[in-house]
Amino acid sequence: MGPRPRPRPILATLLALCAAACASARPAPVAPAPRVPAPLATPERPRPYPVFETPGFRRAVERGTRTRTGRPGPRYWQQYARYRITAELDPATARLSGAETVRYLNRSPDTLATLSIHLYQNANAPTAMRDRFVPATGGVALTRVAAQGQEIPARAAPGRPYYLVTGTVASIRLPHPLAPGDSAELELAWSFTVPPVGNPRMGTDGEVFFLGYWYPQLAVYDDVNGWQADQYMTNAEFYMGYADYDVSLTVPAGFLVAATGTLRNPADVLSPRTRQRIASPPAAGGLVRVVAPAERGAGRATAGAPGGKLTWRWTASNVRDFAWGTSDRYVWDAAAVEVPDAHGDGRPDTVVVNAFYRPEKGTSWNRWASLGARAVAFFSRELWPYPWPHMDLVEGILDGGMEYPMATLIGGTRDSTSLYGVSLHEIGHMWFPMMVGSDEKRHSWQDEGVNSYVDDIGLKEARPASDPFGADQDGYLELARVGSADGEWIGGEVELMRHGDLYPPLRPAFGAATYTKTAVVLHMLDGLLGADVLHRALREYGRRWMYRHPDAYDFFNTIDDVAGRDLDWFWRPWFFETWTLDQAIAGVDAAGDSATIHVEDRGLAPMPARIAVTRADGRVDRVEVPVEVWLAGARRHDIRVAAAPAITRVEIDPERFFPDVDRTNQVWTPR
């Protein structure tokens, strides 16, 4: 950027105004000769300024709940809840009715006069604010709200408790303020129509019903921002508190149910044959057909008789959500995988991977349980062990996939390669954000991008060995270079540190930032720090924040802490800006027994320039321009090397760690 205009002195401005006001009483002045503007100076390269904390994060550090090392502070706290839910689904009308009792524990140091509750299904109300199309179904009908033993009316009266629904959020003014260390019990009853296909993360196609974000859920109240009760506008995902669940689900007999948690009454809902097949997990690497196509239905797959109903009871502890799927068209396969010790008892653990799918959707699905087991094994090895006894894979509804604790929903037409790729990504979300509970709305990259980086490693055998992250780099660079694809303007790149609902609508900027660019940026850290250091930092980040709520600054600070480096110069351009990298070999000059390599930094984002010098005898010398050269403001740097043996090629970043916008200027060969 060029020099800023100097402000005009106030006195000079006033004199000029006075002169203008008195001009009619004076002779017209002679116009001065036009001034020739001075040539513009070459702009100085921008230098990344430090990463500034938000006021909320700074206050959290001052209060001792966070630290600048990336560790939770000694006074860290978070809220907790215990849900008891009963619900019944009527497939004929697609109507779900439910009631819940919630015990909310105030572990904060604050007294709470109101509670905020998410009603996600109101995103389907005709008048809801949305940033994508969803079918309108009417939203949630609340039929009862009670708190602290009192019925709460929907209309406010002076000095009286009440609740108010605004879009997808309900606020309840409590009869009695909730003191620190105390708890409050809420009771709610509700119903809604399950939306048809077209809803982004749940719904029904008439055969399969998947219920995600289906019950009134307490919003997060945290130590950085207080209540995080943003509207659900269907693009940005979720920020959820950890809780215990005891859930009873009534569905027609013959419908299989997959869900978060542990089934507590298999003898009441499963047929003897089905119970026998799940009585002991399959051997690691093996596959069991728990319910075959000819065994579907009441009296065969499940207990009960046609036309009857069954109630399935599930419990789950310390999870951030509860989701479930059901259909009478599902078959059920189970595979098992052994993972390293997740519970500290010195023994490996066995995870059962269940696959519920309609075989009519294609033959690739009959390998799904085995593919899921492979994905669980990969993440347990690459990050840390999967901690739950099962992982459910549920088919239907979506063209893509969506994650929930211990479950994922995946649809579409897929061959085995595609099915494994999507399953790998969705299962990876069991680590981020199911275990590491970040705010997906404000920092979508913190789960999607970190997960994309790790699952790229899991897919690297399917990519060229010379460029394992080329697909992600190409996707990011296409947007970063010109903002167009196939000649159509698609909007420019948008920075990563942006709320997920504030990206340009109907543009790929959200996906490019949230998934692709973050994976590319972490691959750069591979190159900067070394994969061993980065992976150790990611594991430490998970260890520190498992079942907690890390902020983006906790992520940055943990990587800095483990790497032993201040990386503000890296975080600023890649997360807070849309600066791009463009390093070039401007030429090579030989003089006597030495040669000078002219390296230029033509972009905005500073990175070390790692250069390979290939010689006539096949030897490759490595030299580097440290990032500190560019941070000091330089645009050009010369490196002197020996002239012999003859230099046949000079290349910046031959490993392609860094996403340079113009690789054509990174290679020099003699003419």
Side-chain angles (χ1 to χ4, degrees):
M1 180 181 292
R4 299 173 67 179
R6 300 180 67 179
R8 194 176 187 185
I10 295 176
L11 179 59
T13 302
L14 292 174
L15 290 173
L17 290 172
C18 180
C22 301
S24 60
R26 296 182 181 179
V30 177
R35 297 178 60 186
V36 178
L40 293 174
T42 302
E44 182 179 326
R45 71 154 301 132
R47 306 178 199 185
Y49 50 93
V51 171
F52 295 116
E53 300 164 343
T54 63
F57 189 86
R58 185 179 66 252
R59 286 192 299 270
V61 172
E62 293 167 352
R63 294 169 180 168
T65 60
R66 310 267 164 165
T67 70
R68 294 191 174 97
T69 66
R71 296 178 178 86
R75 297 180 180 176
Y76 178 80
W77 55 265
Q78 66 188 43
Q79 309 290 64
Y80 206 76
R82 298 189 177 102
Y83 291 84
R84 295 194 307 275
I85 305 175
T86 60
E88 181 171 350
L89 173 68
D90 180 0
T93 62
R95 193 73 180 171
L96 182 113
S97 302
E100 68 184 57
T101 301
V102 190
R103 174 67 62 177
Y104 182 67
L105 287 71
N106 183 14
R107 296 175 174 175
S108 81
D110 307 322
T111 297
L112 304 178
T114 62
L115 302 181
S116 294
I117 295 179
H118 290 293
L119 303 174
Y120 293 116
Q121 287 301 315
N122 271 351
N124 297 292
T127 58
M129 295 186 297
R130 292 184 288 263
D131 45 23
R132 67 166 73 181
F133 171 80
V134 300
T137 57
V140 179
L142 277 177
T143 54
R144 183 168 188 259
V145 177
Q148 297 171 321
Q150 294 187 30
E151 293 283 338
I152 306 295
R155 187 169 298 176
R160 304 290 295 172
Y162 66 94
Y163 75 90
L164 175 68
V165 176
T166 306
T168 62
V169 177
S171 299
I172 300 178
R173 185 165 186 83
L174 295 172
H176 312 288
L178 182 59
D182 202 353
S183 65
E185 187 169 272
L186 308 178
E187 297 175 57
L188 302 105
W190 77 97
S191 63
F192 65 87
T193 298
V194 181
V197 170
N199 204 63
R201 298 176 178 93
M202 55 85 68
T204 181
D205 59 8
E207 290 185 345
V208 167
F209 291 81
F210 195 92
L211 281 301
Y213 319 113
W214 57 284
Y215 60 96
Q217 183 186 54
L218 279 150
V220 173
Y221 183 84
D222 71 19
D223 61 311
V224 176
N225 295 303
W227 285 112
Q228 298 280 57
D230 297 350
Q231 295 290 318
Y232 174 46
M233 297 176 63
T234 71
N235 186 52
E237 294 185 339
F238 307 96
Y239 186 27
M240 295 175 164
Y242 288 94
D244 298 336
Y245 290 85
D246 188 331
V247 181
S248 296
L249 304 169
T250 300
V251 297
F255 277 62
L256 291 172
V257 177
T260 301
T262 300
L263 178 63
R264 293 302 181 185
N265 62 336
D268 296 335
V269 296
L270 297 176
S271 69
R273 178 171 55 196
T274 302
R275 293 202 310 274
Q276 182 182 13
R277 290 176 181 171
I278 66 169
S280 58
L287 181 71
V288 172
R289 307 289 183 190
V290 179
V291 174
E295 298 167 345
R296 293 179 283 192
R300 296 188 295 274
T302 74
K309 298 178 182 179
L310 297 171
T311 298
W312 301 58
R313 179 169 174 250
W314 301 82
T315 63
S317 298
N318 201 28
V319 294
R320 58 174 244 154
D321 193 16
F322 185 99
W324 56 290
T326 186
S327 177
D328 62 352
R329 303 306 304 154
Y330 278 150
V331 299
W332 179 2
D333 296 343
V337 58
E338 188 176 272
V339 302
D341 178 20
H343 302 101
D345 59 5
R347 296 175 297 177
D349 295 297
T350 298
V351 177
V352 176
V353 179
N354 299 302
F356 297 86
Y357 62 95
R358 291 168 289 187
E360 297 83 4
K361 293 295 182 179
T363 58
S364 60
W365 297 92
N366 62 17
R367 297 185 55 219
W368 199 14
S370 298
L371 296 174
R374 177 180 168 190
V376 169
F378 165 74
F379 280 100
S380 296
R381 181 177 66 251
E382 192 70 25
L383 294 171
W384 56 87
Y386 185 89
W388 299 302
H390 75 89
M391 175 72 212
D392 285 357
L393 312 176
V394 185
E395 174 267 324
I397 311 302
L398 305 179
D399 287 333
M402 186 61 202
E403 70 278 0
Y404 315 84
M406 299 179 232
T408 181
L409 173 65
I410 297 174
T413 301
R414 303 190 180 279
D415 59 21
S416 294
T417 300
S418 170
L419 188 57
Y420 179 63
V422 178
S423 300
L424 186 72
H425 179 84
E426 303 304 338
I427 289 172
H429 279 304
M430 300 306 108
W431 283 258
F432 306 103
M434 300 306 161
M435 285 185 252
V436 183
S438 59
D439 183 347
E440 298 177 88
K441 294 186 78 67
R442 280 165 181 75
H443 305 128
S444 304
W445 59 267
Q446 209 171 339
D447 75 296
E448 293 291 0
V450 175
N451 183 36
S452 294
Y453 165 76
V454 180
D455 68 49
D456 270 344
I457 297 171
L459 290 171
K460 67 182 179 181
E461 66 271 14
R463 292 184 175 148
S466 61
D467 188 15
F469 287 76
D472 280 335
Q473 275 201 15
D474 291 345
Y476 155 69
L477 288 171
E478 183 176 30
L479 197 64
R481 284 184 184 121
V482 293
S484 64
D486 299 325
E488 179 185 358
W489 175 254
I490 56 176
E493 184 195 356
V494 176
E495 70 277 1
L496 273 62
M497 292 292 285
R498 177 180 287 226
H499 192 290
D501 283 320
L502 298 180
Y503 282 82
L506 305 178
R507 297 288 185 265
F510 174 80
T514 298
Y515 298 79
T516 308
K517 182 177 179 179
T518 306
V520 170
V521 167
L522 292 179
H523 185 51
M524 281 194 282
L525 281 179
D526 264 2
L528 282 171
L529 306 176
D532 290 345
V533 174
L534 177 59
H535 293 184
R536 179 158 48 88
L538 289 177
R539 294 184 193 106
E540 178 63 13
Y541 167 64
R543 186 191 69 79
R544 292 176 179 182
W545 292 99
M546 193 176 299
Y547 308 116
R548 292 172 171 165
H549 296 308
D551 192 89
Y553 299 95
D554 298 310
F555 178 86
F556 301 146
N557 290 337
T558 296
I559 304 296
D560 285 3
D561 184 50
V562 174
R565 296 177 61 175
D566 181 353
L567 294 169
D568 272 15
W569 64 267
F570 180 87
W571 306 125
R572 171 60 60 182
W574 293 106
F575 283 81
F576 294 81
E577 313 289 349
T578 55
W579 295 359
T580 54
L581 176 68
D582 185 9
Q583 297 175 338
I585 302 295
V588 178
D589 297 326
D593 61 356
S594 66
T596 301
I597 302 171
H598 305 292
V599 185
E600 292 183 354
D601 191 6
R602 299 174 180 175
L604 298 179
M607 293 292 289
R610 294 181 172 173
I611 300 167
V613 182
T614 304
R615 300 184 178 276
D617 63 356
R619 189 177 82 216
V620 179
D621 296 330
R622 299 284 181 158
V623 293
E624 180 171 323
V625 181
V627 71
E628 287 76 13
V629 170
W630 314 127
L631 293 177
R635 279 290 190 182
R636 183 183 177 102
H637 186 75
D638 293 341
I639 299 176
R640 296 188 67 183
V641 297
I647 297 173
T648 60
R649 182 182 178 88
V650 178
E651 183 175 2
I652 299 175
D653 184 30
E655 293 81 13
R656 296 175 63 89
F657 275 113
F658 307 136
D660 196 287
V661 294
D662 185 3
R663 291 205 175 269
T664 64
N665 60 26
Q666 290 195 291
V667 177
W668 175 91
T669 55
R671 295 181 179 177

